[in-house]
DNA sequence: AATACGTGGAG
DNA sequence: TCTCCAAGTAT
């Protein structure tokens, strides 16, 4: 299907040109985008950016790479150190998976982040998005890099709806593949540029269409910017959930370097049943290590 | 396919 | 204040 789509003057080619020019002029300067940063830096950033905003990632990212400049540096440390360094980025299982991925890289890839998409996908914590992102951002390959930003940009620009589906679909993936420029280098630039457009202009809440480089080509805008129609998005409550309890427990364990008596953890949460469940869950996830004499610590 | 999984800033 | 939501993955 490609040939017609990519002729000069075709709708997609025009879209590509507009977004790429906009990116060249408006891209944020981010440390993992420095060409000298390398694949490991890209990989660390991608793990941290899974569901966590750029602003909160920045300081943790800097400290992480300073301390563990190569996968082998991280792999040589206990997983608990990764959890501690993860600080308050949220979803600390990502820290554990990044640590496990670093070990896998040492064992299976000689300590170098693999450039093969399938090899990336086989690493702990690397899913379809992250594998494509590393392959594209770090190695300049041609992949559809489909995150929430890209899904939203494509939903609006091409499908003409206000919001993408609540969860990623195969249709999203197909659409992204269809929209991917044929040329490898252009595809890699498009991947990061379309994501950046979603992050800065084509935002979820209040899109800045007045500043958008493709507003004249956007199917949603051309349709009169119709409001979102679809199932209501379930606003997840956090107060009172096991997640909150886990967060509190882990915060205590992160702050203590040695063994923590269970009594100190008990102070985190009133409800005994829920507290025990949360602690058991942390142990089951490998985020906490139980010790003799009713003590706990981060995994070694 | 639906659900679990943290945290905190912005509007 | 309170809701929304931020470069997803694993089960």
């Amino acid at each position: 299907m490609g040939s017609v789509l990519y002729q000069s003057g075709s709708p997609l080619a025009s879209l590509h040109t507009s977004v790429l020019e906009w990116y060249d002029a408006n891209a944020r300067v981010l440390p993992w985008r420095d060409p000298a940063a390398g694949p490991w830096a890209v990989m660390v950033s991608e793990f941290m950016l899974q569901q966590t905003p750029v602003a909160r990632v920045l300081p943790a990212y800097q400290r992480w790479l300073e301390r563990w400049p190569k996968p082998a540096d991280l792999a040589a440390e206990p997983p608990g150190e990764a959890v501690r360094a993860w600080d308050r980025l949220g979803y600390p299982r990502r820290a554990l998976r990044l640590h496990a991925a670093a070990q896998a890289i040492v064992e299976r890839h000689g300590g170098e982040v693999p450039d093969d998409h399938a090899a990336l996908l086989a690493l702990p914590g690397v899913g379809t998005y992250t594998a494509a992102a590393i392959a594209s951002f770090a190695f300049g390959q041609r992949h559809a890099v489909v995150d929430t930003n890209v899904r939203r940009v494509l939903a609006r620009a091409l499908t003409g709806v206000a919001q993408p589906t609540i969860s990623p679909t195969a249709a999203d993936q197909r659409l992204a593949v269809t929209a991917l420029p044929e040329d490898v280098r252009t595809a890699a630039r498009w991947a990061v540029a379309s994501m950046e457009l979603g992050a800065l202009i084509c935002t979820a809440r209040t899109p800045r269409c007045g500043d958008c480089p493709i507003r004249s080509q956007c199917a949603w805008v051309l349709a009169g910017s119709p409001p979102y129609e679809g199932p209501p998005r379930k606003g997840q409550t956090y107060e009172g959930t096991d997640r909150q309890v886990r967060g509190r427990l882990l915060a205590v364990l992160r702050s203590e370097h040695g063994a923590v008596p269970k009594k100190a953890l008990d102070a985190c949460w009133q409800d005994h049943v829920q507290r025990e469940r949360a602690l058991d869950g942390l142990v089951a996830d490998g985020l906490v290590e139980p010790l003799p004499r009713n003590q706990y610590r981060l995994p070694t």
Side-chain angles (χ1 to χ4, degrees):
Chain A
M1 65 169 79
S3 60
V4 165
L5 290 174
Y6 296 102
Q7 281 173 0
S8 164
S10 78
L12 272 181
S14 173
L15 204 67
H16 295 153
T17 301
S18 302
V19 173
L20 291 173
E21 284 181 358
W22 171 86
Y23 181 78
D24 287 340
N26 297 282
R28 289 169 292 181
V29 176
L30 298 171
W32 46 86
R33 287 182 180 164
D34 185 332
W40 172 239
V42 171
M43 180 168 162
V44 169
S45 76
E46 289 305 332
F47 269 74
M48 291 185 169
L49 288 164
Q50 291 169 0
Q51 301 287 279
T52 302
V54 167
R56 209 182 315 157
V57 162
L58 247 11
Y61 166 89
Q62 304 279 17
R63 279 184 269 112
W64 193 282
L65 280 175
E66 198 169 313
R67 179 171 177 184
W68 298 307
K70 298 178 304 182
D73 299 320
L74 176 58
E77 296 241 20
E81 284 307 298
V83 174
R84 197 190 312 283
W86 199 250
D87 198 34
R88 307 184 69 92
L89 290 180
Y91 292 149
R93 290 188 297 193
R94 290 181 293 165
L96 232 36
R97 290 173 184 150
L98 181 52
H99 180 269
Q103 291 187 323
I105 287 170
V106 169
E107 291 167 10
R108 317 206 281 248
H109 305 291
E112 297 295 324
V113 176
D115 61 3
D116 178 67
H117 184 273
L120 287 165
L121 197 52
L123 297 173
V126 176
T128 54
Y129 161 76
T130 303
I134 296 171
S136 178
F137 301 161
F139 297 110
Q141 296 173 19
R142 182 179 181 273
H143 295 281
V145 182
V146 187
D147 76 327
T148 187
N149 289 304
V150 170
R151 294 204 316 119
R152 189 172 55 247
V153 167
L154 298 181
R156 287 175 180 157
L158 300 182
T159 310
V161 297
Q163 300 287 346
T165 54
I166 293 175
S167 45
T169 65
D172 295 332
Q173 200 65 32
R174 284 196 300 273
L175 185 61
V177 169
T178 301
L180 199 61
E182 291 287 359
D183 174 68
V184 174
R185 294 179 59 110
T186 308
R189 285 205 300 145
W190 163 257
V192 67
S194 56
M195 192 175 308
E196 189 78 336
L197 185 68
L200 298 183
I201 302 292
C202 195
T203 54
R205 193 88 59 97
T206 311
R208 304 169 54 193
C209 297
D211 297 323
C212 183
I214 56 172
R215 60 184 180 280
S216 66
Q217 310 159 64
C218 177
W220 180 56
V221 168
L222 293 173
S225 304
Y228 171 71
E229 291 183 40
R233 320 225 151 199
K234 50 175 164 80
Q236 83 266 32
T237 53
Y238 180 63
E239 288 294 321
T241 61
D242 285 8
R243 278 148 85 161
Q244 184 180 25
V245 185
R246 288 166 58 107
R248 288 195 185 185
L249 293 170
L250 214 51
V252 173
L253 290 160
R254 268 199 310 262
S255 68
E256 305 291 336
H257 279 256
V260 174
K262 188 161 188 301
K263 186 169 184 180
L265 298 176
D266 289 344
C268 288
W269 198 258
Q270 191 97 61
D271 185 328
H272 171 80
V273 173
Q274 187 176 26
R275 197 179 60 231
E276 292 303 309
R277 186 174 63 226
L279 185 54
D280 288 347
L282 288 171
V283 171
D285 287 347
L287 283 163
V288 173
E289 189 173 288
L291 296 171
R293 299 178 54 193
N294 247 6
Q295 298 194 309
Y296 296 85
R297 69 179 171 196
L298 295 182
T300 56

